[in-house]
Amino acid sequence: MNSKVDEAHHLLRQRDQFVPRGIVNAHPLVIDRAQGSELWDVDGKRYLDFVGGIGVLNIGHNHPNVVKAVQGQLSKITHACFQVAAYQPYIELAKRLSQMVGGEVAHKAVLFTSGAEAVENAIKIARAHTNRSAVIAFRGGFHGRTLLGTTLTGMSQPYKQNFGPFAPEIFHTPYPNEYRGFSSDMALAALNELLATQVAADRVAAIIIEPVQGDGGFLAAPVAFLKALRKLTEQHGIVLILDEIQTGFGRTGKMFGFQHAGIQPDLVTVAKSLAGGFPLSGVVGRAEIMDAPLPGGLGGTYGGNALACAAALAVIDTYAEEKLVERGQVLGDRLRDGLLRLQARYPRIGDVRATGFMVAIELIKADAERSPDADLTQQLIDQARVGGLLVIKCGVYRNVMRFLAPLVTTEAQIDEALEILDGALARILIA
Ligand SMILES: Cc1ncc(COP(=O)(O)O)c(C=O)c1O
């Protein structure tokens, strides 16, 4: 090997040879190491990481508290399998999550490995509790890549492809999108019509919703909509599941997205930033619902792995010590304001949206319909990378650039990212 550049090319060629095309790399890079909000590729080039492993690194890469906690756990036991015997970090984490989500009301938590697994199990628990089978999810929603996760997901490409037949008794209803003129009232009317024409409310086990759609385009459900959903689900004995896998752990300016609406969900799914980069997920919910499945009905060999639980406990402590939730709101405001300034100069940024530090821009064509511009979005992502900023896209039409920078990002790094974007936009739109 002559140089590190040769090494990157060599590795990417091997990647193409030995890894299927079905799993993509958003960026043609080979990562070497990372710290905080920065990472370096094998060529030694530094990038601002405003992807954070897709919302996994809210606490930043390699936070010293997480490293220390995992090292400590590593010297005791790495894996025991909770179904064989209990261990302290699992029990402690279940207690902390129950208190974080439920406050004074009795809650319980069960731990898994991936987000999709948490979603699957939330549905199992809701079905066991209600003895009903139907589930309502939202168009544009994303809930994972397992068969049920894919079925619940409300985006056809690339997630559904020809992977069917899908799980039965899953219904989709539109999610509010104020930028596109689809109001809360319109979404509620569509849901009521679904209940009148497709499936009666007393057959519905659960409604599952992201408080801010992640992959669907960083669209926030209006407070009135979430409140109306809570009322409707209470009226009909339907379990309300909030999928907080991307919105959780301080991303939206509160610990959980549902807290903006002042509602209390029945079940909450958590994953991603829960364990600072270690694979861990969970379902947290009202104790009597969580206890519905019979003994043996829930679990998984690696679920609640001891190392991941130790990491999660360190993550939760660090949030309190470093006031990361409050910090996220401050950073989100700064990034949003900077993007609004860019929008004033580049009208192809059709919308700037931010819920806390869950920030995105929607790129549009220069037509009266504000048509989604997926090509411009991809160009901007590529040009941002050239400038040293990593971001990814989302949205049903893939024309939304999303920012999931760690909550430990500095003001200087936000300003640097805005400058890089400015340069990228100028190269694409003015050059
Ligand atoms: C809201 C939401 N639910 C579920 C998932 C699936 O999580 P995982 O990829 O860990 O299975 C994701 C992943 O992006 C997500 O954003």
Side-chain angles (χ1 to χ4, degrees):
M1 216 64 53
N2 292 332
S3 71
K4 283 188 153 189
V5 177
D6 288 339
E7 188 185 341
H9 284 152
H10 174 69
L11 283 168
L12 286 173
R13 268 203 312 276
Q14 290 211 329
R15 179 259 185 263
D16 286 344
Q17 189 180 351
F18 296 113
V19 182
R21 63 178 188 166
I23 177 158
V24 296
N25 298 124
H27 296 284
L29 298 179
V30 183
I31 302 302
D32 183 36
R33 66 195 164 87
Q35 189 64 48
S37 302
E38 297 173 335
L39 49 78
W40 289 262
D41 69 7
V42 290
D43 301 339
K45 178 166 172 168
R46 165 202 175 258
Y47 295 90
L48 281 174
D49 180 10
F50 276 31
V51 185
I54 316 189
V56 172
L57 275 311
N58 284 3
I59 195 171
H61 289 280
N62 294 348
H63 194 290
N65 294 355
V66 175
V67 172
K68 190 167 162 228
V70 173
Q71 281 171 343
Q73 185 61 43
L74 200 51
S75 63
K76 289 187 186 166
I77 185 163
T78 48
H79 178 69
C81 187
F82 198 74
Q83 281 132 268
V84 176
Y87 40 93
Q88 193 265 349
Y90 189 120
I91 298 170
E92 177 63 19
L93 182 59
K95 178 175 143 196
R96 302 279 289 274
L97 288 172
S98 298
Q99 290 168 347
M100 283 166 77
V101 170
E104 302 288 297
V105 181
H107 273 55
K108 292 190 176 189
V110 57
L111 303 173
F112 303 99
T113 309
S114 69
E117 225 186 326
V119 167
E120 295 253 350
N121 279 280
I123 302 297
K124 279 169 65 176
I125 293 166
R127 283 177 168 165
H129 172 70
T130 56
N131 208 17
R132 306 173 184 176
S133 47
V135 178
I136 297 176
F138 287 84
R139 293 189 197 159
F142 182 79
H143 299 290
R145 293 171 182 274
T146 55
L147 183 62
L148 183 55
T150 305
T151 309
L152 290 166
T153 290
M155 272 178 277
S156 49
Q157 292 297 355
Y159 303 120
K160 301 214 178 207
Q161 298 190 18
N162 53 345
F163 294 145
F166 298 104
E169 297 219 59
I170 307 293
F171 300 85
H172 288 94
T173 189
Y175 192 91
N177 181 345
E178 288 176 333
Y179 178 62
R180 295 284 169 191
F182 198 78
S183 69
S184 232
D185 284 348
M186 289 155 98
L188 209 56
L191 173 57
N192 281 318
E193 193 198 54
L194 175 79
L195 293 173
T197 60
Q198 307 282 313
V199 58
D202 65 1
R203 299 307 315 141
V204 179
I207 296 183
I208 182 165
I209 184 167
E210 296 160 85
V212 182
Q213 279 192 339
D215 207 57
F218 278 29
L219 297 167
V223 166
F225 187 69
L226 288 178
K227 279 189 191 295
L229 265 194
R230 180 64 285 190
K231 199 167 152 207
L232 182 141
T233 46
E234 265 167 11
Q235 239 166 17
H236 296 288
I238 298 169
V239 174
L240 179 60
I241 305 172
L242 266 286
D243 184 342
E244 295 268 5
I245 286 169
Q246 195 158 155
T247 47
F249 295 91
R251 176 51 55 189
T252 66
K254 296 209 183 276
M255 187 55 96
F256 296 108
F258 71 79
Q259 292 166 336
H260 288 279
I263 59 160
Q264 188 60 40
D266 298 311
L267 299 179
V268 174
T269 54
V270 291
K272 288 198 186 275
S273 277
L274 163 63
F278 284 80
L280 186 68
S281 67
V283 183
V284 192
R286 279 171 42 210
E288 72 274 17
I289 300 179
M290 294 293 292
D291 271 332
L294 298 174
L298 302 177
T301 304
Y302 293 108
N305 167 267
L307 291 179
C309 287
L313 290 169
V315 166
I316 293 170
D317 285 343
T318 307
Y319 269 70
E321 278 164 29
E322 298 185 10
K323 298 194 172 26
L324 289 182
V325 177
E326 296 83 343
R327 181 84 187 130
Q329 185 63 56
V330 171
L331 294 169
D333 290 349
R334 191 177 186 96
L335 181 57
R336 183 206 54 209
D337 291 350
L339 291 169
L340 285 169
R341 284 195 298 275
L342 288 179
Q343 185 189 30
R345 292 173 39 224
Y346 302 101
R348 301 285 292 280
I349 300 178
D351 193 27
V352 175
R353 31 187 186 258
T355 312
F357 205 19
M358 192 161 182
V359 183
I361 52 177
E362 176 156 347
L363 283 311
I364 54 168
K365 294 189 175 154
D367 58 17
E369 294 76 30
R370 297 175 296 172
S371 307
D373 197 335
D375 290 342
L376 174 59
T377 309
Q378 187 57 52
Q379 281 181 57
L380 190 53
I381 286 170
D382 291 338
Q383 282 301 316
R385 180 181 63 251
V386 170
L389 169 67
L390 296 186
V391 276
I392 55 168
K393 60 192 166 186
C394 61
V396 173
Y397 300 105
R398 292 339 238 177
N399 68 315
V400 179
M401 177 186 261
R402 57 173 146 172
F403 301 89
L404 287 164
L407 307 179
V408 296
T409 302
T410 62
E411 274 84 353
Q413 287 170 326
I414 300 269
D415 296 346
E416 185 187 346
L418 286 164
E419 222 167 278
I420 293 171
L421 274 180
D422 192 355
L425 284 160
R427 280 196 297 283
I428 300 166
L429 295 172
I430 301 174

